[in-house]
Amino acid sequence: MLDPIDRQILRELQHDGRMTNVELAARVGLTAPPCLRRVRGLEEDGTIRGYHAELDAVKLGYGITVFAMVSLKSQAEADLRAFETHVASLDAVRECHMLNGEIDFMLKIVAHDLQEFQAFLTTHITPAPNVAGVKTSLTIRTSKSKPGVPVPEEGDR
């Protein structure tokens, strides 16, 4: 169970994962050694899964983002895992979510342009084993993209 200090540590690190332990400790009202012990504990128990830099896709040449809704022929566990393993190997697929309902998976895919995306789709997604169909939606603009999850105050849900 997370206490209020753990929650504050998580909020601060999610906002700025590059701050030093000394700065983090000052923000949460601890000295550096106990703060570091708490952070390491949150890392070890898997609450903190990693740290990364948020990159600008457009500045790196990825001009389009597409969401692909994939339906599979079989939903047997082995077939679901095989599809997940396949898309995990594809760098252009940035997210893969298994869904409940008509669509089995939603993929977030980045590409430099529409031609690159179409080639990717027809060589890596639609011919993949067990794929029954793929519906795609090209994003027009992104009005919100916030990594992480909300970290509520203690007592809030």
Side-chain angles (χ1 to χ4, degrees):
M1 189 70 172
L2 299 175
D3 68 16
I5 293 174
D6 288 336
R7 290 173 185 275
Q8 190 175 359
I9 287 171
L10 294 173
R11 278 191 298 277
E12 294 292 341
L13 285 175
Q14 189 166 243
H15 176 72
D16 180 5
R18 291 188 58 168
M19 77 175 73
T20 66
N21 182 60
V22 172
E23 184 179 347
L24 177 62
R27 289 186 185 190
V28 301
L30 294 174
T31 59
C35 183
L36 185 58
R37 279 194 297 276
R38 282 176 177 260
V39 170
R40 291 225 170 106
L42 292 165
E43 291 169 346
E44 288 168 7
D45 76 9
T47 303
I48 297 174
R49 297 189 328 195
Y51 301 88
H52 70 276
E54 187 175 347
L55 308 179
D56 186 315
V58 173
K59 287 186 179 180
L60 292 170
Y62 295 99
I64 65 169
T65 301
V66 179
F67 288 92
M69 286 69 68
V70 180
S71 299
L72 301 180
K73 296 173 191 168
S74 164
Q75 289 74 33
E77 187 61 29
D79 295 323
L80 296 170
R81 292 225 182 263
F83 181 77
E84 289 171 325
T85 299
H86 172 66
V87 298
S89 71
L90 304 172
D91 280 343
V93 177
R94 304 314 300 167
E95 295 180 25
C96 175
H97 304 273
M98 188 166 73
L99 305 178
N100 178 21
E102 208 173 303
I103 302 299
D104 294 306
F105 288 93
M106 180 177 291
L107 310 178
K108 179 182 175 183
I109 302 168
V110 296
H112 291 100
D113 55 37
L114 190 54
Q115 292 75 24
E116 180 182 88
F117 168 71
Q118 288 173 325
F120 176 81
L121 182 68
T122 58
T123 59
H124 296 290
I125 303 297
T126 55
N130 196 36
V131 171
V134 180
K135 295 178 183 177
T136 61
S137 292
L138 179 68
T139 61
I140 306 263
R141 73 172 160 243
T142 300
S143 57
K144 182 176 183 178
S145 177
K146 190 169 186 173
V149 295
V151 181
E153 299 289 334
E154 190 173 32
D156 293 345
R157 180 98 209 241

